[in-house]
Amino acid sequence: MQNFLNLINLFIIFLILTCLKASSQPYKTLVAPLKKDTKTSLFTIILNFHERYVIDLSAPFSWQHCPLNNYPSVPCFSTECFQAQYLPSPSCSLTDTTSENPCVCTVTPLNPITKTCALAKLTSKNFTVHSTNGANPTAKITSNATYLSCAPSSLFRSFPRGVLGMASLSRAPLALPSQFSNQILGVTRKFAICLPSTSLANGVVFFGDGPYNLYPPTNFDASSLLSYTPLLINPKSADYFLGIKALSISGSSIPMSPYEGVKISTIAPYTTLRTDIYEHFLKIFTKAMNGIPHVKTIKPFGTCYNASVIGSSRVGLHVPQIDLEFDNGKNWTIYGANSMKQVGGDVACFAFIDGGKTPEHTVVIGSFQMEDNLLLFDLDQSRMGFSSSLLFERMSCGNFNFTTNV
């Protein structure tokens, strides 16, 4: 009898140890492909293996087309409804639905390009993504009951063809980084994006701690390339802002207010600057490019050059480097691959845009400046990591091979 009890105790201990081992190896990193649409300059994430969603770093929640209207509804007094409504679109008013029976949550999905919005219902669905951790590196992980909004077909104007909706990567509670982070999946509230510079190769988004291995099978964690700067918090916005004290070109600086905040956007194709800053910035760059012949300017750019006269290097055309100088002493350096847009033949244009005299944000960092850079958004520590151009390391955002790694 005693031997039987000992065997039972050993079996219980074995089960406990097995559970502890399993809990100590959570699926810490989820990965999904990013694709570039050259016609719109927008980037889409692929979820559920074939569904494409335009990514946005600002939206309070994700949304999709619901043609069959058979998705579950969300009560209007639920926590998720309040989270979806705490940042309503200023151009779209919510209607009072509290008198309806049953009371269903109404939200206002917004097209960030056309600035149009619509009234729609909050709903939920399951998202399946890949994991690169655990005993099975090709595991498929499902996030159940992920909240998002339905949206009418009118909100898809200016979007790439074939997309199902928009995926929010903001710091809002219903954005994907927050919804994918839970105790069951073991994913932390951080994500890294690597935007591809071409439509011929996929970029990648990582949700969680990493490792961020962009160049398998080397097992090189690209987070070792990152420098960090704090994220500024605006309680009235789900955007990511950085405090930049100066913009500089070859050592000539334009002072900025580090408390004003520079917005980061995957919707804006190029970095925009308020007119007075842009004109000063362009003047410094033009002076630094002395001797390089200009060619006819192509909109929306302010100046273009004969690219055949400019030498090239591993990080693009050999032009003066641009630095975003942060208040903590770190610099995000932008080289020719991210400062000069080649628009055909021998024409290369300065890829910074006049944002107008009274823009909503003084500076908005656009997606072209992020291509082939690894950016890590750490929501819990409120900081952003940045690599500058990966081309220096003979890597790019298109190196991650989803065929063999997920």
Side-chain angles (χ1 to χ4, degrees):
M1 183 64 181
Q2 185 62 41
N3 290 337
F4 178 77
L5 292 175
N6 289 337
L7 288 174
I8 293 294
N9 289 334
L10 287 173
F11 181 70
I12 293 173
I13 292 172
F14 172 78
L15 288 179
I16 293 173
L17 291 174
T18 301
C19 291
L20 288 174
K21 183 179 180 181
S23 63
S24 68
Q25 293 180 334
Y27 295 104
K28 293 182 179 179
T29 310
L30 308 180
V31 292
L34 290 176
K35 295 191 72 70
K36 180 178 181 179
D37 181 72
T38 53
K39 184 177 181 180
T40 63
S41 296
L42 295 173
F43 293 83
T44 59
I45 185 174
I46 300 176
L47 301 170
N48 288 343
F49 313 117
H50 62 85
E51 297 177 355
R52 293 173 55 212
Y53 297 81
V54 172
I55 61 169
D56 185 8
L57 295 175
S58 302
F61 51 82
S62 305
W63 50 263
Q64 71 165 41
H65 191 38
C66 305
L68 300 179
N69 199 29
N70 61 351
Y71 288 88
S73 59
V74 178
C76 60
F77 291 111
S78 63
T79 299
E80 292 77 18
C81 188
F82 288 120
Q83 290 174 333
Q85 292 178 349
Y86 92 104
L87 288 174
S89 169
S91 60
C92 201
S93 300
L94 282 170
T95 57
D96 185 8
T97 60
T98 56
S99 60
E100 296 180 9
N101 189 17
C103 179
V104 175
C105 184
T106 301
V107 292
T108 55
L110 171 74
N111 181 314
I113 302 171
T114 63
K115 305 300 182 184
T116 56
C117 58
L119 292 176
K121 303 299 183 182
L122 190 67
T123 185
S124 64
K125 67 179 293 184
N126 297 343
F127 280 120
T128 299
V129 289
H130 291 283
S131 171
T132 59
N133 290 80
N136 180 4
T138 61
K140 300 175 179 64
I141 308 301
T142 299
S143 175
N144 295 316
T146 303
Y147 292 90
L148 74 169
S149 165
C150 288
S153 56
S154 60
L155 285 194
F156 286 77
R157 292 169 187 158
S158 72
F159 273 18
R161 293 183 62 182
V163 300
L164 187 62
M166 192 195 69
S168 171
L169 298 180
S170 73
R171 62 178 188 84
L174 291 190
L176 295 184
S178 292
Q179 293 205 72
F180 283 171
S181 65
N182 58 61
Q183 293 180 350
I184 296 175
L185 298 182
V187 178
T188 56
R189 277 207 326 149
K190 64 176 64 171
F191 70 98
I193 57 173
C194 206
L195 302 182
S197 57
T198 173
S199 61
L200 301 178
N202 290 332
V204 59
V205 56
F206 299 89
F207 296 97
D209 282 322
Y212 310 126
N213 181 12
L214 294 172
Y215 205 0
T218 64
N219 294 322
F220 173 71
D221 187 354
S223 64
S224 62
L225 303 174
L226 299 178
S227 299
Y228 292 88
T229 191
L231 289 168
L232 303 183
I233 301 300
N234 181 345
K236 297 182 179 181
S237 170
D239 291 300
Y240 298 102
F241 294 97
L242 305 175
I244 294 180
K245 70 176 183 179
L247 298 170
S248 72
I249 299 176
S250 295
S252 298
S253 297
I254 302 174
M256 303 284 293
S257 170
Y259 306 105
E260 183 175 358
V262 169
K263 177 181 172 180
I264 308 173
S265 173
T266 52
I267 299 299
Y270 306 101
T271 295
T272 63
L273 304 96
R274 194 179 64 207
T275 296
D276 58 320
I277 298 174
Y278 172 78
E279 291 177 346
H280 191 181
F281 197 57
L282 182 60
K283 183 178 180 180
I284 295 174
F285 185 82
T286 302
K287 183 178 180 181
M289 291 286 285
N290 184 38
I292 304 298
H294 289 260
V295 297
K296 184 179 179 180
T297 300
I298 299 174
K299 292 184 178 181
F301 307 109
T303 187
C304 299
Y305 296 89
N306 185 336
S308 64
V309 181
I310 307 173
S312 62
S313 66
R314 187 185 304 173
V315 287
L317 293 176
H318 190 65
V319 297
Q321 74 178 44
I322 297 168
D323 285 291
L324 309 182
E325 301 178 6
F326 298 112
D327 202 35
N328 63 352
K330 304 294 185 179
N331 286 4
W332 182 358
T333 301
I334 298 174
Y335 300 96
N338 297 103
S339 65
M340 301 296 292
K341 173 67 174 179
Q342 296 194 257
V343 290
D346 293 331
V347 179
C349 300
F350 186 51
F352 291 78
I353 307 298
D354 186 344
K357 294 182 179 180
T358 57
E360 181 181 1
H361 303 287
T362 303
V363 179
V364 177
I365 300 174
S367 59
F368 183 76
Q369 277 66 45
M370 302 182 216
E371 291 178 357
D372 289 324
N373 285 238
L374 180 67
L375 300 181
L376 171 63
F377 296 85
D378 188 334
L379 280 67
D380 287 331
Q381 297 192 52
S382 192
R383 64 177 185 168
M384 188 191 82
F386 54 95
S387 67
S388 289
S389 180
L390 293 169
L391 301 179
F392 255 137
E393 307 295 329
R394 300 186 185 277
M395 295 190 296
S396 74
C397 291
N399 286 139
F400 192 92
N401 190 333
F402 284 88
T403 302
T404 59
N405 292 278
V406 295

